[in-house]
Amino acid sequence: MLACKHLIHDINNDNHTDMPEEMRVETMELCVTACEKFATNNESAAKMIKESMDKKFGSSWHVVIGEGFGFEITHEVKNLLYMFFGGGLAVCVWKCS
Amino acid sequence: MSVPHKVGSVKSKQVSSFVMQDEEEGLDTAEGEEWMQGKTLVKPPDQLDLTEAELNEEITRVLKASNPNAPQNVVRYSFKEGCYKPIVFVDQMAIHFELEGNLVHKDSDEGRRLMAEQAEVDDGGGDERPDNVAIKAGKREQKLTNQFNFNERASQTINNAPRDISCQTEPPPRANFSATANQWEIYDFYVEELQRREKSKEKHEGQFLNKEEDRSKKKMIQAETQNDDISQLAMVVKIIERMVNQNIFDDVAQDFMYFEDASDEFRGEKGTLLPLWTFQYDKAKSLSVTALCWNHKYNDLFAVGLGSHEFTQQGGGLILFYTLKNPSYPEFIFNTASGVMCLDIHEHLSYLVAVGLYDGCVAVYNLKKKTDQPIYNSRASSGKHTSAVMQVKWQKDDLDSNHNFISVSADGRVVSWTLVKHELVFTDIIKLPVIDTIPDDLKDVIPTVGTSLDFHKQKDYSFLVGTEHGKIHKGSKYYSSKFLEKYDAHFMNITRVRWNPFHPDVFISCGWDWMVKIWDQTMKSPVFTFELKTSVTDVAWAPYSSTVFAAVTTDGKVHVFDLNINKYEALCQQKVVSKKTKLFNIEFNPVHPIIIVGDDRGHVTSLKLSPNLRKKPKEKKGQDLPKGPEVEIAKMEQLLSSLR
């Protein structure tokens, strides 16, 4: 975990992403901002991310933030981001109407 | 009554007693006494001077309610009794002052009326302008409209009918994705990332140059993709170009396919040539057409070789490929260093073109390749002709399945060229025999110029060569030292010899001595001779009939003969180009009834043969005529036998 901690502020890590480069960068930055802002409250962070994404890229985004969960989702092609934040949080953002 | 207090209480009493007394007694004395106490007396001038005794005298006055001025003895006549009677009750009211008031009770009629009037006045006084308008409106309303002299009319414009339109778009594509987010998964991922980053850092430190390469690679890739786009466009553009051409030359295309000259019926034997497309190319303007060849596989494609016949005017040369589908621009363009004298398209591999040039080179072009350069060129190799190559013809593949072709040149050699891997290998077939008139010591130097070459259709080892001196030599590939036969054909340059496509023994030749001669190879003298008034530059057999051939002359005329119909005269002698343009080449299309002729301006004109020129022998009723080459052979044989 020590090794990871120095990565927290260093790099953005995405395990799987389906987005075009520009969109991906923007979304990752947004997620990082939201998670830092609402470090204790995942719900608010998720809400912030979802609302911003809806405004920027069109309606029906879904956001899940957590430390332990499994998922199976259907997403619109080129609209999925699954990343880790701060060594302990996983954020999954996808669009599906 | 105010009493000054400083007088004292005793005095006040006195005063009060005086006051009381005043009420009972008269006013005057009291007044006098009163004034005397506090102030100096001021006597009015008209006051009675009375003695003190008189002053102290008390006078009693009694106040009454009766009006002193009212009459006390009013008498009225009473008619009833007939005498005067005194009225007891007299009105005692004395009016001292009367003022009429202007207050009216609000509930009385007068009051209500006044209130209503006041309300109107109040409203009017408040706003003057609307009042004016109201007044005016009122006045207008009052104006009566003429009910008899006008009418109202209304109309409704047409409203467009509403339509429902609905559309369903394709939904954006979807995909499924599943994963688990655990602490250990996250940890694993981070560790991997870390390792990856460290590795890439090492790479970066070592190789800064790579970045630039990548950038240039990216640019390349981008350019390539752009190229792909353009090349895809090229196909589409080509199709559109053809469409546009077809539209422009629509009537020509229709004529080409369907037009059959109906007037041929009335012309007897004669036929006509209907001009179709003209093929010209800007850069070919200064050049003359020297060779024409149809492509056997693609019947609408033909090759044009451009160069110059004049010795003094040699420049570059061009090989153009035109298709009937696009008459305005050639499909393929090849530039050659020197003028093209002849070309031939391979019968089976229609992308291989053999070309003979004025400077003695032979070259082979591959149409499939995009480059402008020939795939084989005889420049480098030895054995190249020392003089202009007059005719090239493809042969069947040899035993090693290499392609080969044969060329005849102005240096008198007939050479076979084989395409071996990357070069042309030459093999001398035969050397044309020198003329007898040349003195012996010059025989090696002055060659016999071979001008035309043709191979037999069936026995492809047998060939004919025409020379500048008017002789035709028949040779065989197997005999390299000597020719089999020699025919004294013409007095001047022979421009073309060709075997008949059907009959195995017949060939035709033409030359500058104005003659066209048809030969049977077994006979020394020609079977038919035609004189055409000017130098004949080319002659060709028709592919559909053994008795039809066409010739072109330097006066711009095309002559079409059918020996089956008329043995002495041409069926058609038609001038197809403008004045002073010489025709140099003629070729029949293997499938369609059209011919192409090349002239010295670099133009190629296509002409359609009218039905009279394409006649097949008439079918007799009830008789089933066999079709095919045998018929043609038989036809020719018939003709020949009549003349032998």
Short mmCIF file of all heavy atoms in Angstrom, two decimals, chain B residues 369-402:
data_model
loop_
_atom_site.label_atom_id
_atom_site.label_comp_id
_atom_site.label_asym_id
_atom_site.label_seq_id
_atom_site.Cartn_x
_atom_site.Cartn_y
_atom_site.Cartn_z
N LYS B 369 0.89 -1.88 -63.34
CA LYS B 369 1.74 -1.10 -62.46
C LYS B 369 1.39 0.37 -62.61
O LYS B 369 1.03 0.83 -63.69
CB LYS B 369 3.22 -1.28 -62.85
CG LYS B 369 3.70 -2.71 -62.76
CD LYS B 369 4.63 -2.93 -61.58
CE LYS B 369 4.68 -4.38 -61.19
NZ LYS B 369 5.50 -5.15 -62.13
N LYS B 370 1.55 1.09 -61.51
CA LYS B 370 1.16 2.50 -61.54
C LYS B 370 2.25 3.39 -62.15
O LYS B 370 2.05 4.54 -62.41
CB LYS B 370 0.90 3.01 -60.11
CG LYS B 370 -0.09 2.20 -59.35
CD LYS B 370 -1.51 2.49 -59.77
CE LYS B 370 -2.47 1.69 -58.94
NZ LYS B 370 -3.79 1.70 -59.46
N THR B 371 3.44 2.81 -62.31
CA THR B 371 4.55 3.68 -62.72
C THR B 371 4.49 3.99 -64.20
O THR B 371 3.82 3.32 -64.99
CB THR B 371 5.90 3.01 -62.45
OG1 THR B 371 5.91 1.77 -63.17
CG2 THR B 371 6.08 2.75 -60.98
N ASP B 372 5.23 4.99 -64.55
CA ASP B 372 5.29 5.46 -65.92
C ASP B 372 6.35 4.72 -66.72
O ASP B 372 6.43 4.83 -67.92
CB ASP B 372 5.63 6.96 -65.88
CG ASP B 372 5.17 7.67 -67.13
OD1 ASP B 372 4.24 7.16 -67.77
OD2 ASP B 372 5.74 8.69 -67.47
N GLN B 373 7.17 3.97 -66.02
CA GLN B 373 8.32 3.36 -66.67
C GLN B 373 7.99 1.98 -67.17
O GLN B 373 7.18 1.27 -66.60
CB GLN B 373 9.48 3.25 -65.66
CG GLN B 373 9.97 4.60 -65.20
CD GLN B 373 10.36 5.47 -66.39
OE1 GLN B 373 11.08 5.03 -67.27
NE2 GLN B 373 9.83 6.67 -66.42
N PRO B 374 8.62 1.58 -68.25
CA PRO B 374 8.39 0.22 -68.72
C PRO B 374 9.04 -0.78 -67.77
O PRO B 374 10.02 -0.48 -67.10
CB PRO B 374 9.08 0.20 -70.09
CG PRO B 374 10.08 1.30 -70.03
CD PRO B 374 9.52 2.34 -69.12
N ILE B 375 8.47 -1.96 -67.73
CA ILE B 375 9.08 -2.96 -66.86
C ILE B 375 10.30 -3.57 -67.51
O ILE B 375 11.21 -4.06 -66.85
CB ILE B 375 8.07 -4.07 -66.46
CG1 ILE B 375 7.37 -4.65 -67.69
CG2 ILE B 375 7.03 -3.52 -65.51
CD1 ILE B 375 6.55 -5.86 -67.40
N TYR B 376 10.31 -3.58 -68.80
CA TYR B 376 11.50 -4.03 -69.51
C TYR B 376 11.84 -3.01 -70.57
O TYR B 376 10.98 -2.43 -71.21
CB TYR B 376 11.25 -5.37 -70.22
CG TYR B 376 10.95 -6.49 -69.29
CD1 TYR B 376 9.64 -6.84 -69.01
CD2 TYR B 376 11.96 -7.19 -68.68
CE1 TYR B 376 9.35 -7.88 -68.16
CE2 TYR B 376 11.69 -8.24 -67.83
CZ TYR B 376 10.38 -8.58 -67.57
OH TYR B 376 10.10 -9.60 -66.73
N ASN B 377 13.09 -2.85 -70.74
CA ASN B 377 13.53 -1.89 -71.73
C ASN B 377 14.79 -2.42 -72.36
O ASN B 377 15.68 -2.91 -71.67
CB ASN B 377 13.80 -0.54 -71.05
CG ASN B 377 13.67 0.60 -72.02
OD1 ASN B 377 13.91 0.43 -73.21
ND2 ASN B 377 13.30 1.75 -71.51
N SER B 378 14.85 -2.30 -73.64
CA SER B 378 16.01 -2.90 -74.28
C SER B 378 17.18 -1.95 -74.36
O SER B 378 18.13 -2.19 -75.05
CB SER B 378 15.63 -3.36 -75.69
OG SER B 378 15.55 -2.23 -76.53
N ARG B 379 17.08 -0.82 -73.66
CA ARG B 379 18.20 0.11 -73.74
C ARG B 379 19.48 -0.50 -73.24
O ARG B 379 20.51 -0.42 -73.87
CB ARG B 379 17.92 1.33 -72.85
CG ARG B 379 17.08 2.30 -73.54
CD ARG B 379 16.73 3.45 -72.64
NE ARG B 379 15.80 4.27 -73.37
CZ ARG B 379 16.15 5.29 -74.13
NH1 ARG B 379 17.40 5.64 -74.24
NH2 ARG B 379 15.25 5.96 -74.81
N ALA B 380 19.31 -1.06 -72.05
CA ALA B 380 20.55 -1.51 -71.41
C ALA B 380 21.16 -2.69 -72.15
O ALA B 380 22.37 -2.81 -72.29
CB ALA B 380 20.25 -1.87 -69.98
N SER B 381 20.28 -3.58 -72.58
CA SER B 381 20.84 -4.82 -73.13
C SER B 381 21.39 -4.60 -74.52
O SER B 381 20.98 -3.72 -75.27
CB SER B 381 19.75 -5.89 -73.17
OG SER B 381 18.66 -5.40 -73.89
N SER B 382 22.30 -5.47 -74.87
CA SER B 382 22.85 -5.40 -76.23
C SER B 382 21.87 -6.08 -77.15
O SER B 382 20.90 -6.70 -76.73
CB SER B 382 24.20 -6.12 -76.27
OG SER B 382 24.01 -7.46 -75.84
N GLY B 383 22.17 -5.96 -78.35
CA GLY B 383 21.26 -6.59 -79.31
C GLY B 383 20.13 -5.66 -79.67
O GLY B 383 19.23 -6.01 -80.42
N LYS B 384 20.17 -4.48 -79.14
CA LYS B 384 19.14 -3.50 -79.45
C LYS B 384 19.25 -3.12 -80.93
O LYS B 384 20.33 -3.11 -81.51
CB LYS B 384 19.39 -2.30 -78.54
CG LYS B 384 18.81 -1.03 -78.91
CD LYS B 384 19.32 0.04 -77.97
CE LYS B 384 19.70 1.23 -78.83
NZ LYS B 384 19.49 2.48 -78.27
N HIS B 385 18.12 -2.84 -81.50
CA HIS B 385 18.11 -2.47 -82.90
C HIS B 385 18.86 -1.17 -83.11
O HIS B 385 18.78 -0.26 -82.30
CB HIS B 385 16.67 -2.29 -83.39
CG HIS B 385 15.93 -3.59 -83.55
ND1 HIS B 385 16.23 -4.50 -84.53
CD2 HIS B 385 14.92 -4.12 -82.83
CE1 HIS B 385 15.41 -5.53 -84.43
NE2 HIS B 385 14.61 -5.35 -83.41
N THR B 386 19.51 -1.11 -84.20
CA THR B 386 20.25 0.11 -84.48
C THR B 386 19.41 1.14 -85.20
O THR B 386 19.83 2.26 -85.43
CB THR B 386 21.49 -0.20 -85.35
OG1 THR B 386 21.03 -0.97 -86.46
CG2 THR B 386 22.51 -0.99 -84.57
N SER B 387 18.25 0.74 -85.58
CA SER B 387 17.40 1.68 -86.29
C SER B 387 15.96 1.50 -85.81
O SER B 387 15.69 0.63 -85.00
CB SER B 387 17.53 1.42 -87.79
OG SER B 387 16.94 2.48 -88.50
N ALA B 388 15.10 2.30 -86.36
CA ALA B 388 13.72 2.30 -85.85
C ALA B 388 13.10 0.92 -85.92
O ALA B 388 13.29 0.19 -86.88
CB ALA B 388 12.88 3.29 -86.65
N VAL B 389 12.35 0.61 -84.88
CA VAL B 389 11.62 -0.66 -84.84
C VAL B 389 10.28 -0.44 -85.51
O VAL B 389 9.50 0.41 -85.09
CB VAL B 389 11.42 -1.11 -83.38
CG1 VAL B 389 10.64 -2.41 -83.35
CG2 VAL B 389 12.74 -1.23 -82.68
N MET B 390 10.04 -1.21 -86.56
CA MET B 390 8.84 -0.92 -87.35
C MET B 390 7.62 -1.70 -86.89
O MET B 390 6.50 -1.27 -87.05
CB MET B 390 9.10 -1.23 -88.83
CG MET B 390 10.25 -0.47 -89.41
SD MET B 390 10.07 1.32 -89.26
CE MET B 390 8.84 1.62 -90.48
N GLN B 391 7.84 -2.91 -86.39
CA GLN B 391 6.68 -3.72 -85.99
C GLN B 391 7.08 -4.66 -84.87
O GLN B 391 8.17 -5.23 -84.89
CB GLN B 391 6.20 -4.54 -87.18
CG GLN B 391 4.87 -5.20 -86.97
CD GLN B 391 3.70 -4.29 -87.26
OE1 GLN B 391 3.69 -3.59 -88.25
NE2 GLN B 391 2.74 -4.30 -86.38
N VAL B 392 6.21 -4.77 -83.90
CA VAL B 392 6.41 -5.79 -82.84
C VAL B 392 5.16 -6.65 -82.79
O VAL B 392 4.06 -6.19 -83.04
CB VAL B 392 6.63 -5.15 -81.45
CG1 VAL B 392 8.02 -4.60 -81.34
CG2 VAL B 392 5.61 -4.11 -81.14
N LYS B 393 5.40 -7.92 -82.50
CA LYS B 393 4.26 -8.82 -82.35
C LYS B 393 4.55 -9.78 -81.21
O LYS B 393 5.64 -10.36 -81.14
CB LYS B 393 4.05 -9.65 -83.63
CG LYS B 393 3.45 -8.87 -84.77
CD LYS B 393 1.94 -8.90 -84.70
CE LYS B 393 1.38 -8.10 -85.87
NZ LYS B 393 0.14 -7.48 -85.63
N TRP B 394 3.56 -9.94 -80.34
CA TRP B 394 3.71 -10.92 -79.27
C TRP B 394 3.60 -12.33 -79.82
O TRP B 394 2.86 -12.60 -80.76
CB TRP B 394 2.60 -10.75 -78.23
CG TRP B 394 2.82 -9.62 -77.29
CD1 TRP B 394 2.20 -8.42 -77.33
CD2 TRP B 394 3.72 -9.57 -76.18
NE1 TRP B 394 2.64 -7.63 -76.30
CE2 TRP B 394 3.57 -8.31 -75.58
CE3 TRP B 394 4.62 -10.47 -75.62
CZ2 TRP B 394 4.30 -7.92 -74.46
CZ3 TRP B 394 5.33 -10.08 -74.51
CH2 TRP B 394 5.18 -8.81 -73.93
N GLN B 395 4.32 -13.22 -79.20
CA GLN B 395 4.24 -14.61 -79.56
C GLN B 395 3.69 -15.38 -78.39
O GLN B 395 3.53 -14.87 -77.29
CB GLN B 395 5.65 -15.14 -79.89
CG GLN B 395 6.31 -14.40 -81.01
CD GLN B 395 5.51 -14.58 -82.28
OE1 GLN B 395 5.32 -15.70 -82.73
NE2 GLN B 395 5.02 -13.50 -82.84
N LYS B 396 3.47 -16.67 -78.64
CA LYS B 396 3.05 -17.54 -77.54
C LYS B 396 4.22 -17.70 -76.60
O LYS B 396 5.38 -17.63 -77.00
CB LYS B 396 2.66 -18.91 -78.09
CG LYS B 396 1.35 -18.92 -78.81
CD LYS B 396 0.69 -20.30 -78.74
CE LYS B 396 -0.57 -20.36 -79.56
NZ LYS B 396 -0.38 -20.82 -80.93
N ASP B 397 3.90 -17.97 -75.36
CA ASP B 397 4.97 -18.19 -74.39
C ASP B 397 5.85 -19.34 -74.83
O ASP B 397 5.38 -20.35 -75.34
CB ASP B 397 4.37 -18.54 -73.03
CG ASP B 397 3.76 -17.30 -72.38
OD1 ASP B 397 3.86 -16.22 -72.97
OD2 ASP B 397 3.16 -17.45 -71.31
N ASP B 398 7.13 -19.16 -74.59
CA ASP B 398 8.04 -20.22 -75.05
C ASP B 398 8.01 -21.40 -74.07
O ASP B 398 7.21 -21.45 -73.14
CB ASP B 398 9.44 -19.66 -75.23
CG ASP B 398 10.03 -19.16 -73.90
OD1 ASP B 398 9.36 -19.35 -72.85
OD2 ASP B 398 11.12 -18.59 -73.91
N LEU B 399 8.92 -22.34 -74.28
CA LEU B 399 8.89 -23.57 -73.50
C LEU B 399 9.12 -23.33 -72.01
O LEU B 399 8.65 -24.08 -71.18
CB LEU B 399 9.95 -24.56 -74.03
CG LEU B 399 9.67 -25.01 -75.47
CD1 LEU B 399 10.88 -25.69 -76.08
CD2 LEU B 399 8.47 -25.93 -75.51
N ASP B 400 9.85 -22.27 -71.70
CA ASP B 400 10.05 -21.96 -70.28
C ASP B 400 8.95 -21.07 -69.72
O ASP B 400 9.11 -20.49 -68.65
CB ASP B 400 11.39 -21.23 -70.10
CG ASP B 400 12.55 -22.10 -70.51
OD1 ASP B 400 12.44 -23.32 -70.33
OD2 ASP B 400 13.54 -21.55 -71.02
N SER B 401 7.88 -20.98 -70.45
CA SER B 401 6.76 -20.08 -70.16
C SER B 401 7.20 -18.64 -69.90
O SER B 401 6.70 -17.97 -69.01
CB SER B 401 5.83 -20.60 -69.07
OG SER B 401 6.53 -20.93 -67.94
N ASN B 402 8.15 -18.19 -70.66
CA ASN B 402 8.49 -16.77 -70.64
C ASN B 402 7.77 -16.11 -71.80
O ASN B 402 7.65 -16.68 -72.89
CB ASN B 402 10.00 -16.56 -70.85
CG ASN B 402 10.77 -17.01 -69.63
OD1 ASN B 402 10.31 -16.83 -68.52
ND2 ASN B 402 11.93 -17.59 -69.86
#
